Amino acid sequence: MAAVKKAGNALIIGAGLGGLAAALELASRGWRVQVLDQRSGPGGKAFTERLGPYRFDTGPSLLTLLPVFDELFALTGADREAYFGARPLEEIARYFWPDGTALRSFSSPRTLADSFSRAGIARTREVLAYLEHSRKLYERSTPLFLYDTIDPRSLWRRPALWPRLLGILGLDTGRTLHEVHRSFFRDSRARQFFDRYATYNGSNPYEAPGTLALIPHVEYGLGAWAPEGGIYTIPLAMERRAREMGVEFCYACTVESLAPPAGEGGGWIAETSRGSFEADVLFSNIDPQGFYGLLGDPPRTRRYQVEDSRLSSSALVFYWGLGNTYPQTGLHNIFFGSDYPGEFRSIFQDRQVPEDPTIYVNITAKYVPGDAPEGSENWFVLVNAPPRGEQNWDEVVPAVRERVIASLERRLDRDIGRYIQEESWLAPPGIEELTGSYRGSLYGPSSNHWKSAFLRHPNKSSLYRHLYFCGGSAHPGGGMPLVVLSGRLAVRELLRSW
Ligand SMILES: Cc1cc2nc3c(=O)[nH]c(=O)nc-3n(C[C@H](O)[C@H](O)[C@H](O)COP(=O)(O)OP(=O)(O)OC[C@H]3O[C@@H](n4cnc5c(N)ncnc54)[C@H](O)[C@@H]3O)c2cc1C
């Protein structure tokens, strides 16, 4: 009988949601785990900030695929609801077009379709037909792309996957997402509504494959939720459960260099601002670019460098504590810009913040009353932006701020600027500095090409022993539930070969 190797010890760099998921899964399998992060607490991009009496979630705001979190907690023998509560959203978002059209989106295909019909944007049956298309794409592609590991270098060893892969390659990879929407909808507003889903992984609907039409099913077929205390309760809950299972955390702990195992019995060594750490296996929850830098950028790792043209978009975010309330708005609000193709040209070709950008406003105080004082609201205002390049952000930020305030005041026909009591902002260089995300891109490589899913960094290193990757730049990609899956897939890869 083959000897079963005992659980070992693991070091995880990064307490983002991917790193936390890996920690929980490893601990539940008896591993000793230490997590190191340069920030003051868990969450990475999913962090929190207080400005006077206002609280903000600084990064992600829309929670989908909640069962991914349920399964993770269940794996550790816990009930997710005992750690963080989440309310299903019936109304998901409010949409505003420059021509005055307004629409509310709801979490079921039928109510969404009726909403489109009432707004005069599309017929009920057109929307239902599209959402059915979205459901089919989701169901055919996710078993392979979300719940399995795909490293092109090892695919030839898994012939069982080939027919599924061929089937998926036929799923609208030959058309762009926008072309798919043109085939379903005559009205440009309906196309714009669904084109926006490309931005859920930082991509461009005019380049990304039509396969991304699977994303709307996530929201309208499977649902969206609002965590009861805001998004930040998620990393806090994951960290709490991990500590209960014996995981140790070291914060304000910047990894400065790494040394791979020397010889058969050796382990990984991390030199950090808080001393030296050693472990049998290493999990990277940081961007591969930054990770290989910690190893001294060995030439053989260059194949994993992502050219700037392949990066997903970044964002410019304003956090405003407003001494006023705006009943026209809901928890999630989208104010479309007037030139959608131009907006994506600005971001992906000209590398500029668009002149008249689509503006996303998230107001958690609508659901979490303690996030703003009575009679006030906490506005998280995001516009898509290119990753950090040659831009002078000190000039860009105030100019965009003025344009955004003017646009929102015009659209809501209310004063906003004069009610800002507290404020701060986050631009691509800040995102890069705080989270280690290369050039501040939000989701690692974009999905602008049909091959993108195969080009993400694999969960298991083929270059170094006992090295695994999770997080937004690794397979299966960015977004909260996906990085949780990446943490679990990385552990699965470890257990296969341990
Ligand atoms: C503004 C914004 C809006 C977003 N909106 C959404 C949304 O609505 N819905 C959604 O699902 N997703 C959204 N996302 C994306 C989502 O937040 C990310 O995909 C996800 O949280 C990334 O998790 P991760 O596991 O990759 O780790 P990250 O969050 O990237 O964390 C990595 C961690 O590694 C640490 N680190 C890096 N280098 C070092 C080092 N040398 N030493 C020690 N520690 C280090 C960092 O401090 C950080 O804590 C958004 C992101 C941003 C920034």
Side-chain angles (χ1 to χ4, degrees):
M1 202 172 83
V4 179
K5 207 165 163 184
K6 278 206 312 227
N9 58 70
L11 202 54
I12 300 178
I13 309 177
L17 297 184
L20 291 168
L24 283 166
E25 172 126 24
L26 284 166
S28 74
R29 295 181 187 276
W31 282 64
R32 182 170 170 248
V33 186
Q34 287 177 300
V35 182
L36 317 178
D37 199 296
Q38 65 189 11
R39 302 202 78 169
S40 57
K45 295 188 181 75
F47 218 67
T48 187
E49 183 175 353
R50 268 205 172 274
L51 293 174
Y54 298 91
R55 190 202 71 86
F56 297 86
D57 287 315
T58 55
S61 51
L62 181 66
L63 174 62
T64 55
L65 295 174
L66 182 65
V68 166
F69 292 89
D70 294 342
E71 285 157 19
L72 179 68
F73 277 85
L75 178 83
T76 72
D79 179 4
R80 187 266 307 155
E81 285 191 52
Y83 288 79
F84 76 90
R87 265 189 286 165
L89 292 176
E90 199 182 317
E91 175 190 305
I92 298 182
R94 299 186 185 184
Y95 290 80
F96 304 85
W97 276 267
D99 67 0
T101 308
L103 176 146
R104 294 186 186 193
S105 71
F106 295 94
S107 63
S108 88
R110 183 78 219 185
T111 41
L112 179 75
D114 288 343
S115 206
F116 267 74
S117 159
R118 271 197 306 278
I121 294 178
R123 287 191 219 143
T124 301
R125 66 179 160 74
E126 286 174 323
V127 179
L128 289 176
Y130 172 73
L131 291 177
E132 178 58 11
H133 174 75
S134 176
R135 182 187 67 76
K136 283 190 189 141
L137 280 177
Y138 179 88
E139 286 175 1
R140 283 167 74 176
S141 46
T142 51
L144 186 58
F145 285 105
L146 296 194
Y147 294 94
D148 207 334
T149 46
I150 29 174
D151 178 357
R153 278 168 300 277
S154 60
L155 273 179
W156 62 271
R157 276 191 261 125
R158 302 176 66 191
L161 292 184
W162 299 349
R164 273 157 71 194
L165 266 177
L166 284 176
I168 288 162
L169 288 177
L171 295 179
D172 268 343
T173 49
R175 295 193 286 176
T176 66
L177 185 63
H178 180 70
E179 283 164 352
V180 170
H181 295 151
R182 263 204 347 234
S183 75
F184 275 93
F185 303 106
R186 271 165 299 170
D187 191 295
S188 62
R189 291 164 299 183
R191 295 171 184 166
Q192 193 174 20
F193 179 98
F194 288 111
D195 280 353
R196 196 181 74 90
Y197 283 89
T199 66
Y200 277 34
N201 60 20
S203 303
N204 173 355
Y206 301 93
E207 287 181 13
T211 321
L212 293 197
L214 64 85
I215 302 176
H217 175 69
V218 172
E219 221 167 289
Y220 305 112
L222 306 175
W225 287 263
E228 261 148 29
I231 291 287
Y232 194 58
T233 55
I234 300 177
L236 282 184
M238 291 169 78
E239 192 221 42
R240 187 179 130 213
R241 183 65 189 137
R243 282 188 192 277
E244 287 168 0
M245 304 194 61
V247 176
E248 292 166 25
F249 289 84
C250 182
Y251 292 118
C253 178
T254 304
V255 178
E256 289 160 350
S257 67
L258 290 165
E264 256 309 300
W268 279 90
I269 297 173
E271 298 298 342
T272 81
S273 54
R274 303 193 57 183
S276 204
F277 292 79
E278 185 169 357
D280 300 326
V281 303
L282 185 68
F283 280 72
S284 166
N285 179 219
I286 65 178
D287 245 8
Q289 241 107 328
F291 178 85
Y292 291 125
L294 297 173
L295 277 168
D297 278 326
R300 62 187 178 145
T301 66
R302 298 225 174 101
R303 70 167 95 143
Y304 291 119
Q305 299 291 318
V306 178
E307 314 88 75
D308 290 359
S309 60
R310 276 185 51 220
L311 285 175
S312 59
S313 56
S314 185
L316 175 52
V317 190
F318 299 96
Y319 308 95
W320 295 335
L322 286 172
N324 200 2
T325 57
Y326 297 83
Q328 308 102 303
T329 56
L331 175 63
H332 302 285
N333 309 275
I334 293 96
F335 297 84
F336 278 119
S338 52
D339 174 12
Y340 219 37
E343 194 164 330
F344 289 94
R345 268 198 309 277
S346 294
I347 296 169
F348 288 96
Q349 286 163 30
D350 308 339
R351 306 268 146 194
Q352 305 290 339
V353 178
E355 195 54 33
D356 175 22
T358 293
I359 304 164
Y360 166 69
V361 180
N362 173 237
I363 310 169
T364 60
K366 303 271 188 195
Y367 271 70
V368 188
D371 281 355
E374 179 100 29
S376 311
E377 290 181 349
N378 62 338
W379 281 32
F380 163 108
V381 180
L382 178 147
V383 297
N384 293 315
R388 176 182 65 75
E390 301 305 313
Q391 311 89 348
N392 179 346
W393 292 98
D394 290 336
E395 284 175 10
V396 172
V397 173
V400 175
R401 178 186 183 277
E402 290 318 304
R403 296 207 300 272
V404 166
I405 290 175
S407 170
L408 290 172
E409 289 187 338
R410 201 173 53 247
R411 313 284 280 275
L412 291 172
D413 196 20
R414 300 277 305 276
D415 283 349
I416 292 171
R418 72 186 176 94
Y419 289 108
I420 298 177
Q421 296 177 335
E422 302 281 349
E423 78 173 299
S424 74
W425 52 267
L426 186 62
I431 296 174
E432 181 170 35
E433 190 189 327
L434 291 173
T435 71
S437 182
Y438 182 61
R439 293 195 178 278
S441 112
L442 298 192
Y443 303 91
S446 75
S447 296
N448 283 342
H449 195 278
W450 68 266
K451 282 192 277 189
S452 307
F454 302 94
L455 296 175
R456 286 196 172 274
H457 199 289
N459 301 112
K460 178 183 178 184
S461 173
S462 56
L463 302 178
Y464 293 92
R465 274 192 324 128
H466 302 329
L467 174 61
Y468 300 86
F469 289 85
C470 57
S473 295
H475 176 74
M480 293 187 285
L482 266 62
V483 300
V484 166
L485 292 174
S486 82
R488 297 201 56 191
L489 287 170
V491 176
R492 196 203 291 177
E493 286 287 321
L494 161 68
L495 298 178
R496 262 193 198 137
S497 55
W498 185 250

